[in-house]
Amino acid sequence: MLVVEDEPSIADVLAIALRYHRFEVMTAGTVREALALAERTRPDAALLDVMLPDGDGRALGRELRARRPELALVFLTARDSPAEIVGALGFGDDYITKPFHIDEVVARVTAVPRRTRRADVLPQRPPLRYGDLELDETTYSVHRAGRTVELTPTEYALLRFLVRNGGRIVPKEQLLRHVWQYEHAPAESTVVETYISYLRRKLDALGPPLITTRRGVGYGLA
């Protein structure tokens, strides 16, 4: 686990907590240090502050993901507007807003590799289909009306769960439990709404609106 945070006190707290939970942690305070460290150690996951003294954590995340596509990315950000997060962090696997509770950080960082580890899915599974949507469970590819939809691992996991539930409305709490492995998510968490926005932006570009909202309940497929 690569932790990139320029505030030493925050970096220390994150490293101590993650090491306590048996993560191998490396820390960096700048984009330059992070790139050099990642080149030497090739981490499986990265926890990145968005605001860094010598650059943007989002650009760093793109560079790390380009070098290692399977890398799990979690962002730390003071921006809690869903619109800003959708536009800026849509390629990451999760985000955590500041100020944060350290237990939440550990839980969410622990959950990301579990849902992005492709070896956990059995090979040669038949594709999932819903209308003009097809999810290949072997290659993790998604197509709508025959056109490829590029999704992050978390977006894929969310869409797969919705497809498996057909036209049913899935409560937000159930999505948090099955996609993000949250047993007790903060009441103010907007992670589901944010990732639903990611999916809508990508899927609706290729056809009519597919994801429906039952206000105060959850989400489903039209």
Side-chain angles (χ1 to χ4, degrees):
M1 165 68 67
L2 173 62
V3 174
V4 186
E5 167 60 60
D6 64 315
E7 289 288 341
S9 59
I10 297 177
D12 287 346
V13 168
L14 291 170
I16 290 169
L18 290 168
R19 285 172 181 143
Y20 179 80
H21 288 272
R22 300 188 177 183
F23 282 87
E24 293 184 11
V25 180
M26 304 154 289
T27 61
T30 66
V31 171
R32 183 176 180 179
E33 290 174 2
L35 289 173
L37 194 56
E39 186 67 26
R40 295 197 307 269
T41 61
R42 297 183 61 79
D44 294 323
L47 179 61
L48 310 177
D49 189 10
V50 169
M51 303 296 290
L52 295 168
D54 62 337
D56 191 322
R58 295 162 297 187
L60 171 60
R62 290 189 183 92
E63 176 63 25
L64 293 174
R65 181 62 69 74
R67 295 184 182 188
R68 194 169 188 185
E70 70 275 17
L71 179 76
L73 284 176
V74 180
F75 289 97
L76 290 171
T77 176
R79 301 171 179 173
D80 59 2
S81 164
E84 287 189 12
I85 295 170
V86 166
L89 308 180
F91 62 93
D93 299 304
D94 206 347
Y95 73 93
I96 301 167
T97 55
K98 295 180 178 181
F100 53 77
H101 193 288
I102 192 63
D103 290 341
E104 180 190 7
V105 175
V106 171
R108 294 172 73 164
V109 167
T110 300
V112 166
R114 285 206 302 267
R115 66 176 181 267
T116 59
R117 193 178 298 121
R118 298 190 172 189
D120 289 345
V121 178
L122 295 175
Q124 303 303 317
R125 299 181 67 177
L128 297 175
R129 292 186 175 89
Y130 188 92
D132 62 356
L133 193 66
E134 181 177 296
L135 282 70
D136 190 313
E137 291 276 72
T138 302
T139 64
Y140 285 76
S141 60
V142 177
H143 294 84
R144 186 174 191 194
R147 298 173 64 184
T148 300
V149 185
E150 297 291 343
L151 299 182
T152 67
T154 299
E155 291 166 353
Y156 180 90
L158 175 57
L159 181 60
R160 177 175 58 187
F161 195 73
L162 291 174
V163 169
R164 284 178 172 171
N165 280 276
R168 293 196 307 112
I169 296 295
V170 183
K172 176 180 174 179
E173 293 75 16
Q174 191 175 354
L175 291 172
L176 286 168
R177 189 164 55 250
H178 287 273
V179 178
W180 282 270
Q181 288 84 45
Y182 293 174
E183 289 299 328
H184 304 287
E188 68 277 9
S189 174
T190 61
V191 67
V192 174
E193 290 86 347
T194 298
Y195 275 88
I196 288 291
S197 296
Y198 296 165
L199 286 177
R200 281 179 168 147
R201 181 178 57 178
K202 294 180 178 181
L203 295 173
D204 293 358
L206 302 176
L210 184 63
I211 299 175
T212 62
T213 301
R214 180 74 58 84
R215 191 172 299 277
V217 180
Y219 302 90
L221 298 181

